[in-house]
Amino acid sequence: MRKESKVFVQSVNRIFDIIELLSKEKNGLRLTDLSKILELKSTTIHNLLGTVIHRGYITQDTETMRYRLGYRCLLLAEKFTENDLLLSAASDHLTALNKQTDELVFLGIIQKRDLICALKIESNRPLAVNPDQQWKNQFHSTASGKILLAGLPPREAEAIMEKHGIIRFTARTITRRDLLFEELQKVRQNLYAEARDESVEGISSLAVPIPGPAKPVLAALAVALPSIRFTDERKEELLHLLHDTAEKISMQLCAAGKNISSGNSVNP
């Protein structure tokens, strides 16, 4: 019985490996690609895919034979957004902010001491930021990461730095712990954070905190753009829009929190 349970868990883990891998590939992957990347036999992957394809979580293009995420993944994402208090409150406001700025806007949160992009809307401009950048270990080199670190107790911020280290990504990355904590003190005083070419050369970001009903910093609201567009004038314009949007999200969260405490549903 224990042996069967172990095999079952391994199969589930492998299915999630496939789903997460396909989520990063806009053009999908062939069976041979999956086999090579995951270092599994094609027959093993084919057997795993059977059930998830039947359930609609993965689909296969009959012409290219490439596998992609299916419509059921989209439905799950929509339900998650509806049921998550923060994402539900932020979704429409991020859409409005994206239209106002025409830049990549996103919501940063901490999950298991990783920096996670919980929600993002891409820019339509020809010169834009790559929306697929992974930030989980870049607390010290992104504006959203600095906002979130600044809102933590010092011991928890230290624990995050201990987990990820302070890696140099560019010549402008802060790699000294004392300088980083000086930067975080400025963030607390100014109520915003910025990062110019610190994570990726040519990319800058600006972020402000979103206070929650019970936390001074529940999430970071951020915008990322090519550094060539990040002038002082543009910075002031974006800061105004970010603070205004963060305040609207925070007010909606507080109102929803009151509805929860009184026993009412937060969903319309």
Side-chain angles (χ1 to χ4, degrees):
M1 179 64 71
R2 289 181 180 177
K3 188 175 181 180
E4 290 178 0
S5 177
K6 185 177 180 180
V7 171
F8 173 75
V9 171
Q10 184 183 60
S11 298
V12 173
N13 283 334
R14 286 174 172 175
I15 287 172
F16 280 116
D17 285 341
I18 293 171
I19 290 174
E20 290 177 357
L21 188 58
L22 291 177
S23 72
K24 302 172 185 176
E25 298 291 338
K26 292 183 178 180
N27 296 322
L29 291 169
R30 296 185 179 90
L31 184 62
T32 52
D33 299 325
L34 290 168
S35 176
K36 183 178 180 180
I37 295 170
L38 297 174
E39 298 181 347
L40 294 172
K41 293 180 180 179
S42 295
T43 52
T44 300
I45 294 179
H46 186 268
N47 291 336
L48 292 170
L49 286 169
T51 300
V52 284
I53 289 175
H54 176 72
R55 295 290 298 273
Y57 290 98
I58 290 177
T59 185
Q60 185 181 28
D61 189 308
T62 54
E63 292 185 3
T64 65
M65 302 305 290
R66 289 178 177 270
Y67 294 95
R68 294 182 176 84
L69 293 186
Y71 71 96
R72 294 286 295 181
C73 289
L74 176 61
L75 294 178
L76 281 181
E78 289 177 347
K79 285 299 178 184
F80 179 78
T81 301
E82 288 176 9
N83 296 330
D84 184 274
L85 184 59
L86 173 61
L87 298 186
S88 178
S91 182
D92 289 343
H93 295 299
L94 251 71
T95 299
L97 180 62
N98 172 257
K99 290 180 179 178
Q100 290 173 310
T101 63
D102 200 12
E103 305 287 3
L104 173 68
V105 297
F106 56 95
L107 203 64
I109 62 171
I110 298 174
Q111 193 172 80
K112 294 184 178 180
R113 292 179 175 166
D114 290 342
L115 176 57
I116 302 296
C117 178
L119 190 64
K120 66 183 176 185
I121 304 178
E122 301 176 27
S123 169
N124 291 316
R125 297 193 182 196
L127 183 60
V129 176
N130 176 15
D132 297 323
Q133 180 186 351
Q134 300 298 311
W135 298 305
K136 73 175 186 177
N137 65 338
Q138 298 183 25
F139 283 91
H140 63 298
S141 60
T142 60
S144 56
K146 292 176 186 179
I147 285 289
L148 294 169
L149 279 182
L152 292 174
R155 184 174 296 181
E156 180 60 19
E158 287 278 6
I160 287 177
M161 291 297 96
E162 188 68 26
K163 176 180 179 179
H164 294 294
I166 308 179
I167 303 168
R168 180 176 296 281
F169 296 107
T170 73
R172 295 178 64 94
T173 305
I174 298 174
T175 56
R176 281 176 47 186
R177 195 172 294 254
D178 59 331
L179 294 180
L180 175 60
F181 280 89
E182 284 182 16
E183 177 83 356
L184 296 182
Q185 184 58 34
K186 293 178 183 177
V187 170
R188 295 185 194 98
Q189 293 171 351
N190 297 331
L191 295 179
Y192 76 86
E194 64 179 287
R196 294 176 183 262
D197 307 303
E198 295 177 37
S199 184
V200 177
E201 290 283 358
I203 299 299
S204 294
S205 59
L206 193 64
V208 301
I210 298 177
K215 294 180 68 176
V217 180
L218 181 63
L221 178 64
V223 58
L225 66 162
S227 298
I228 194 172
R229 290 205 295 267
F230 195 43
T231 62
D232 290 342
E233 183 180 355
R234 182 63 167 157
K235 173 185 170 180
E236 292 305 314
E237 178 187 356
L238 291 173
L239 263 181
H240 173 74
L241 293 171
L242 284 167
H243 279 302
D244 182 61
T245 303
E247 183 179 2
K248 291 176 181 176
I249 295 172
S250 183
M251 289 176 63
Q252 192 166 331
L253 282 168
C254 290
K258 290 178 182 178
N259 285 335
I260 290 175
S261 62
S262 63
N264 297 324
S265 171
V266 299
N267 293 322

